[in-house]
Amino acid sequence: QVQLVESGGGLVQPGGSLRLSCVASGSIFGIYPMGWYRQAQGKQRELVASITSDRRTNYGDSVTGRFTISRGNVKNTVYLQMNSLKPEDTAVYYCNVDLIGRLYWGQGTQVTVSS
């Protein structure tokens, strides 16, 4: 069994910053690709950022230059540094891990950008 726990969401003003964290635990033997997705109310889930086991990164067009994904020193820990936040970044943010084609998801953490 694999569990993912996200943390770090909250309410922030436009232009502010937040840092999300995600830890994957359980039956994981090795280092695997991980990613962050988000789902705004009434919209489909979309890719925010992903990182491979060797730390290559990929970003959604709407966050490039503002968000940074990184891996922690603890195996299968990933962070999302979000800067210059906009109201349109408001969404539930989900972390996932890709275990050779099988995706596991966390429960999500709410990010609200509002004045």
Side-chain angles (χ1 to χ4, degrees):
Q1 192 71 314
V2 175
Q3 300 84 36
L4 290 91
V5 178
E6 303 103 334
S7 60
L11 173 64
V12 63
Q13 292 188 341
S17 298
L18 280 176
R19 188 190 193 213
L20 305 184
S21 301
C22 174
V23 179
S25 62
S27 301
I28 302 178
F29 306 101
I31 299 175
Y32 294 92
M34 299 185 72
W36 288 96
Y37 285 70
R38 67 185 182 188
Q39 188 166 17
Q41 194 168 5
K43 295 188 177 181
Q44 289 188 329
R45 192 172 294 191
E46 64 174 358
L47 171 71
V48 177
S50 62
I51 188 166
T52 65
S53 57
D54 59 353
R55 302 177 187 262
R56 286 176 289 125
T57 59
N58 182 47
Y59 294 92
D61 290 342
S62 61
V63 307
T64 298
R66 299 188 298 123
F67 292 10
T68 302
I69 189 170
S70 61
R71 303 194 78 108
N73 292 327
V74 176
K75 189 172 62 176
N76 294 314
T77 298
V78 67
Y79 303 102
L80 185 68
Q81 178 66 42
M82 305 186 294
N83 298 328
S84 303
L85 283 160
K86 305 175 181 179
E88 50 264 44
D89 295 318
T90 295
V92 178
Y93 284 70
Y94 297 91
C95 173
N96 76 7
V97 62
D98 182 355
L99 300 187
I100 313 177
R102 182 167 182 177
L103 295 179
Y104 292 86
W105 295 88
Q107 293 298 307
T109 184
Q110 176 70 46
V111 171
T112 302
V113 185
S114 175
S115 55

